[in-house]
Amino acid sequence: MIDDLPVAPGEAAARYYDRWAGEALRLALAPDTELLVVLFGAGDYTHAEWRRVAVAALARQIAPRRVCALAGGGDAARADALAFLSRAPGVTGQYLELAD
């Protein structure tokens, strides 16, 4: 889970691209990866746009493999979202904010 990002959205985006984007790409391109789910810690509305852009750009880069991102939510919400995504082969490039 990526939960060590700064509070300011611009700084958070910069840290994501500096520290995590390359790792996400590497994992997504691994031979056995069909779906990569990036788990973000909860963030307020000011983080939603850069996260949407990041996951959409990664999805375009790795197609036909899939990538989605989840933010927030408790263990049960994340498990439900992961189960849904595993059964939804047409869903990619989406950023989903989960309730607790």
Side-chain angles (χ1 to χ4, degrees):
M1 173 164 327
I2 302 172
D3 60 0
D4 64 342
L5 299 176
V7 173
E11 293 173 15
R15 183 173 301 167
Y16 168 79
Y17 282 106
D18 182 54
R19 185 170 182 186
W20 295 102
E23 180 69 3
L25 178 61
R26 185 187 69 75
L27 291 170
L29 292 176
D32 58 341
T33 300
E34 293 178 24
L35 169 64
L36 175 70
V37 178
V38 178
L39 299 176
F40 287 106
D44 67 23
Y45 74 95
T46 62
H47 292 266
E49 191 61 30
W50 74 259
R51 290 175 176 187
R52 279 188 199 99
V53 169
V55 72
L58 182 57
R60 286 189 296 275
Q61 192 172 3
I62 67 164
R65 292 180 170 103
R66 299 185 305 132
V67 63
C68 288
L70 305 177
D75 291 339
R78 283 192 297 274
D80 288 346
L82 291 170
F84 166 75
L85 291 171
S86 71
R87 296 185 314 268
V91 177
T92 188
Q94 300 301 304
Y95 171 69
L96 306 172
E97 295 181 38
L98 305 177
D100 287 329

